Amino acid sequence: MNLYSHENALLVIALAAFATYCMRVGGLLLAGYLPTGGRFGKALKALPGTILISLAAPGFFNEGWIGFAGGIVTVAITFKTKNVFLAMLAGMLVVALGRYFL
């Protein structure tokens, strides 16, 4: 049996798609049972931001001080303009210029 066959690849893709669908549906079905008030509700509202920070922070620190500067610029512009796309572009520009000139 060839482990790297075309059929096995399609099976893995189909199973990953099914697992993703089940997790999304399960989350939607269970969301109605979660409390929306108090500390838990505040934590749920802050969760998307904390997940984004946990994904981005290692990249900022791995890049050194240039990445850290790009992250600071991104956060500052996000708070100032509330435009995440513009903030990401500015942060990438800082990192690109830092890589090019330093």
Side-chain angles (χ1 to χ4, degrees):
M1 179 170 109
N2 184 6
L3 198 60
Y4 302 106
S5 68
H6 181 71
E7 292 81 17
N8 283 348
L10 291 177
L11 179 64
V12 168
I13 291 170
L15 289 174
F18 180 71
T20 302
Y21 178 76
C22 287
M23 290 182 71
R24 286 181 180 248
V25 168
L28 289 174
L29 292 175
L30 293 176
Y33 296 105
L34 295 174
T36 57
R39 288 184 180 178
F40 191 76
K42 287 182 183 180
L44 283 179
K45 289 178 184 173
L47 195 58
T50 58
I51 291 173
L52 182 63
I53 289 171
S54 70
L55 292 173
F60 294 153
F61 292 114
N62 189 37
E63 192 61 35
W65 70 271
I66 295 170
F68 188 72
I72 295 295
V73 166
T74 303
V75 169
I77 292 177
T78 300
F79 280 119
K80 181 72 175 169
T81 65
K82 305 292 188 227
N83 187 340
V84 177
F85 182 70
L86 176 67
M88 289 181 0
L89 284 177
M92 289 189 304
L93 181 66
V94 167
V95 172
L97 290 174
R99 285 181 180 176
Y100 184 74
F101 289 112
L102 302 174

